[in-house]
């Protein structure tokens, strides 16, 4: 009997312990308010197939719902970047009791940001989605907010004057939207702000509200800001401001002379005896004298401005003549127009409307004085860098040259590393626009550069997928410096300095590097949609989205990338391997050219020869390059023409499976581009429609790009203008 009582007591004790340890089937360990909020969010998303997620009930903190993190029984983070989510955010976000991080970057979520936001939020990332509308005034309740990224969406309207309470905000990214109006005065209250990106919008006014902030990284390019730029801001370490109509010193000095009145009468608005809209009869003679004086000053001022402009034009002409002689290329460089111009940006879901896009307004210096100009003898190789967003795959194909997906969320230095700054030469210190990673951190993010993370192998080295602790993906190019011109750390840092200055919407961005223990590694953005080559020729599902307008927009993006390298960078940068496998596509099918600025890596040995042979065999070799192995900007333009033929026909540049006369795309197509019947038969069969006039215009552009004589190929600025004209018709 005693043994039975003891056994019964033991069973009772065990059941009691289990009942305390395991959540009851009738209840939930997770805060009920948080369960209601996350159920509502799931419904707003459209109930997608997210592991563990439910529209009613459930226990997120115990059941391990995908992307959900908890502190105790409260949901603290929802991180679902790049999860192919749609729908909207709904209006129940404020129901989360103590959420800290919401990261939904890189999805297809639309609608507007709800007014009901959780006041506990510190990190709010919605970049690379399809959000519309404006930022709500309720932003002011996020008094704990430290970082917010809303870039690469379709937001419009003015920025709310609601930043006065966000004194903890450190990083703010509003770039690549359609925001307009002036910067709100409340921005001057952001006493902790160190990073601000608002490039590629339509913002106007001056920058005065930013001049007293502790900003270290500021990008305001391609807006409509006027000036002058406050002197205090010129000391910002990383300040990008091109593409804005800032006032010049001359204009600022002359403006008061041309606009201020010379006649000064009584201070009242209406003088007795004088009509409200003009002088009285008694003052007529005096007013006429004043008027003549004013006109004289205006004429003198305008004449002065005209003379200054003439001098500028003459200097520019002399510079162009000198550049033309140095390059020994008989062509006229068409300078980019000053001021913004209209372009075309197609929304992902077939919206063909034109949206504002701006170009660079003046040439910028991209190389420091100590960095030597790349020589044309150096030939460029590429490394396979295309990455799929889910499971990496190993490729030995040298035709695969992309780098996978756009990184979103916090800046790299905050989420991805414990960066240790390498000792730099004095003329390069500091490289403030990029992060210096340690070898240890990159080993951690690439599984010690394991085979499972290997993406591609080429004559320059190997490329690996790196996954940061928060899930952010990067592309790490591990250079083989035994075969390259990287004998010293300084030579590698010279290269990093060059690449880090390449800042353009259609060029893949360098975000970091490692120069430690004789290792030379470059860390880039990662693009999830792969390369144009994959989309066109590998049965990629995105091929269905490549409408005629989308293809023309891709051609325009590629043209702008080359225009930037050839005509904005000084000295001009030759790409040397410009082809569809080096053109990456982001979530909006926007082009980003990869492997820019790497030509100086090549010595005069086998690497250059191998690269040249590959380029020729793949159908991209310009005639002058095949004959002499000399590669110039004109050779890049030939390759651009081949890429446009790929967009037009859907064919590969070289295809050995086709009849002998059709294997080389450019050779086969050039004789048919001016015959409308033959041209119509060349069009990619997957295209449902193709306007005949637009088709003929594109054929004309392709024809002049693949001319056999390089001097007859137009500069890229002219090609950009032709494509813009096509899109505006």
């Amino acid at each position: 009997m005693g043994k039975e009582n003891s056994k019964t007591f033991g069973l009772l004790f065990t059941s009691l312990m289990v009942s305390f340890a395991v959540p009851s089937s009738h209840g939930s360990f997770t805060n009920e308010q948080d369960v209601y909020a996350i159920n509502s969010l799931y419904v707003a998303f459209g109930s997608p197939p997210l592991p563990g997620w439910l529209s009613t009930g459930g226990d997120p903190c115990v059941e391990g719902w995908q992307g959900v993190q908890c502190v105790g029984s409260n949901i603290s983070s929802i991180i679902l970047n790049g999860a192919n989510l749609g729908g909207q955010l709904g209006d129940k976000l404020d129901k989360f009791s103590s959420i800290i991080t919401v990261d939904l970057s890189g999805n297809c979520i639309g609608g507007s940001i709800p007014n009901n936001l959780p006041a506990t939020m510190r990190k709010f990332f919605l970049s690379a989605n399809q959000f519309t509308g404006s930022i709500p005034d309720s932003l002011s309740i996020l008094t704990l907010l430290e970082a917010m990224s809303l870039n690469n969406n379709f937001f419009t309207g003015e920025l709310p004057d609601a930043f006065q309470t966000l004194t903890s905000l450190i990083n703010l990214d509003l770039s690549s939207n359609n925001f307009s109006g002036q910067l709100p005065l409340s921005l001057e209250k952001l006493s902790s702000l160190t990073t601000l990106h608002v490039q590629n919008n339509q913002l106007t006014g001056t920058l005065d509200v930013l001049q007293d902030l502790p900003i270290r990284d500021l990008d305001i390019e391609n807006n409509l800001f006027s000036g002058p730029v406050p002197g205090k801001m010129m000391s910002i370490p990383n300040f990008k401001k091109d593409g804005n109509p800032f006032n010049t010193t001359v204009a600022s000095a002359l403006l008061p002379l041309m606009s201020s009145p010379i006649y000064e009468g009584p201070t009242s608005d209406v003088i007795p005896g004088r009509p409200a809209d003009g002088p009285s009869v008694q003052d007529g003679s005096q007013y006429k004298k004043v008027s003549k004086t004013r006109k004289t000053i205006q004429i003198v001022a305008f004449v002065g401005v005209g003379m200054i402009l003439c001098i500028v034009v003459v200097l520019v002409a002399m510079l162009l003549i000198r550049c033309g002689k140095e390059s020994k290329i008989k062509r006229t460089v068409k300078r980019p127009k000053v001021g913004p111009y209209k372009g075309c940006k197609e929304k992902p879901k077939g919206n063909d409307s034109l949206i504002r896009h701006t170009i660079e307004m003046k040439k910028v210096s991209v190389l420091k004085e100590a960095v030597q100009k790349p020589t044309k003898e150096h030939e460029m190789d590429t490394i396979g860098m295309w990455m799929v967003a889910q499971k990496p795959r190993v490729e030995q194909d040298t035709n695969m040259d992309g780098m996978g997906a756009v990184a979103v969320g916090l800046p790299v230095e905050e989420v991805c590393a414990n960066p240790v700054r390498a000792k730099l030469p004095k003329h390069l210190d500091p490289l403030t626009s990029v992060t210096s990673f340690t070898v240890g951190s990159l080993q951690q993010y690439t599984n010690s550069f394991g085979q499972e993370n290997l993406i591609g192998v080429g004559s320059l080295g190997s490329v690996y997928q790196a996954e940061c602790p928060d899930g952010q993906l990067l592309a790490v190019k591990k250079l083989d410096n035994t075969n390259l011109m990287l004998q010293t750390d300084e030579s590698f840092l010279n290269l990093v300095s060059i690449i880090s200055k390449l800042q353009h919407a259609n060029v893949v961005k360098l975000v970091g590097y490692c120069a430690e223990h004789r290792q030379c590694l470059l860390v880039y953005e990662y693009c999830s949609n792969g390369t144009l080559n994959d989309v066109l020729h590998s049965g990629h599902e995105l091929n269905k989205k490549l409408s005629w307008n989308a293809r023309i927009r891709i051609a325009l993006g590629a043209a702008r990338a080359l225009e930037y390298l050839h005509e904005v960078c000084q000295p001009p940068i030759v790409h040397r391997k410009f082809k569809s496998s080096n053109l990456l596509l982001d979530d909006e099918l926007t082009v980003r050219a990869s492997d820019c600025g790497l030509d100086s890596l090549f010595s005069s040995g086998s690497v250059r020869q191998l690269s040249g042979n590959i380029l020729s065999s793949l159908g991209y070799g310009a005639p002058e390059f095949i004959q002499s192995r000399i590669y110039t900007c004109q050779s890049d333009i030939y390759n651009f023409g081949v890429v446009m033929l790929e967009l037009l026909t859907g064919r590969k540049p070289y295809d050995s499976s086709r009849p002998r006369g059709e294997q080389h795309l450019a050779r086969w197509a050039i004789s048919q581009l001016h015959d409308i019947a033959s041209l119509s038969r060349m069009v990619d069969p997957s295209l449902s429609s193709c306007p005949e006039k637009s088709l003929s215009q594109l054929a004309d552009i392709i024809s002049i790009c693949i001319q056999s004589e390089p001097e007859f190929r137009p500069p890229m600025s002219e090609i950009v203008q032709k494509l813009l004209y096509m899109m505006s018709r």
Side-chain angles (χ1 to χ4, degrees), residues 80 122 144 167 215 308 359 491 622 652 681 694 697 721:
L80 291 170
R122 297 184 182 181
L144 302 178
T167 54
I215 298 178
I308 292 172
I359 61 173
S491 63
K652 298 178 181 178
R681 290 193 295 269
S694 182
Q697 291 173 331
Q721 294 302 319

Side-chain angles (χ1 to χ4, degrees), residues 652-678:
K652 298 178 181 178
Y654 176 79
D655 190 347
S656 59
S657 67
R658 291 187 177 274
R660 187 174 183 84
E662 299 182 16
Q663 290 180 354
H664 284 88
L665 179 59
R667 299 177 194 172
W668 167 74
I670 192 167
S671 62
Q672 307 178 63
L673 290 172
H674 298 295
D675 180 74
I676 192 62
S678 300

